[in-house]
Amino acid sequence: MSGGDQLVLETGISLPDVEELLSLLQEPDPTIPNSVSEGSNSNSNPSNQEVATDSSLDMDRKQKRMISNRESARRSRWRKKKRLEDITDELSRLNATNQELSARLGLAAHRCLVIQRENQRLRLEYASLSSMLSGLYGMLIAAGSTH
């Protein structure tokens, strides 16, 4: 992997963007009066060179800031995407838990209904047997009094 490819991977800036930025750094700024290109006359006024150097520094700062802003925006998009993925994963997990708990609740409600019906049946059987026992007890008392 070349150094340029690694720069592209680390910063998220494409190779054409890097080349364009470099070409901007090498060209004089036409909006700044007295700006000089690198191949200009060496006899030019020192104040013009200072202006060119200052504008070059300003351009460097602008380029660095632009690159930094792009990288910051890329990181921000990545964090937002990661948060969304985390929230989506959590939602899926909670939905699965909710389905499991709903199934368990349904099973418990069904068991409760079965037990209530069995309890009702046993109470009816108890009442019937109690009535039969009472009748038998009455017959025993009647039979014992006749003897």
Side-chain angles (χ1 to χ4, degrees):
M1 177 182 297
S2 73
D5 291 339
Q6 185 155 355
L7 176 67
V8 170
L9 290 175
E10 289 176 3
T11 64
I13 300 171
S14 67
L15 196 53
D17 288 342
V18 172
E19 290 170 353
E20 181 181 347
L21 292 174
L22 290 174
S23 71
L24 289 173
L25 290 173
Q26 293 170 351
E27 296 174 3
D29 190 351
T31 61
I32 300 176
N34 299 328
S35 116
V36 239
S37 65
E38 291 180 18
S40 67
N41 185 351
S42 61
N43 293 332
S44 60
N45 189 343
S47 65
N48 285 344
Q49 287 177 346
E50 288 173 14
V51 170
T53 304
D54 288 345
S55 69
S56 222
L57 289 175
D58 288 344
M59 287 300 290
D60 285 345
R61 284 189 209 116
K62 286 179 186 178
Q63 296 305 94
K64 286 179 184 177
R65 188 170 58 241
M66 184 173 69
I67 291 169
S68 174
N69 287 346
R70 283 184 182 173
E71 181 63 18
S72 176
R74 185 191 65 77
R75 286 190 309 268
S76 177
R77 286 189 303 273
W78 180 85
R79 284 191 304 270
K80 185 177 181 180
K81 181 180 176 185
K82 180 81 171 99
R83 274 194 307 266
L84 180 61
E85 289 171 356
D86 291 346
I87 289 170
T88 302
D89 291 346
E90 178 75 1
L91 177 63
S92 296
R93 188 186 63 75
L94 289 173
N95 280 334
T97 302
N98 190 31
Q99 287 177 351
E100 178 189 344
L101 291 174
S102 292
R104 288 172 58 189
L105 177 62
L107 182 61
H110 176 70
R111 286 179 180 167
C112 183
L113 184 61
V114 168
I115 290 171
Q116 285 175 342
R117 286 183 182 162
E118 178 68 8
N119 193 18
Q120 184 180 11
R121 185 191 65 75
L122 290 172
R123 285 180 189 212
L124 287 173
E125 186 178 343
Y126 167 77
S128 173
L129 291 173
S130 183
S131 174
M132 284 174 60
L133 183 62
S134 181
L136 288 173
Y137 184 70
M139 287 191 336
L140 265 175
I141 290 180
S145 64
T146 58
H147 283 85

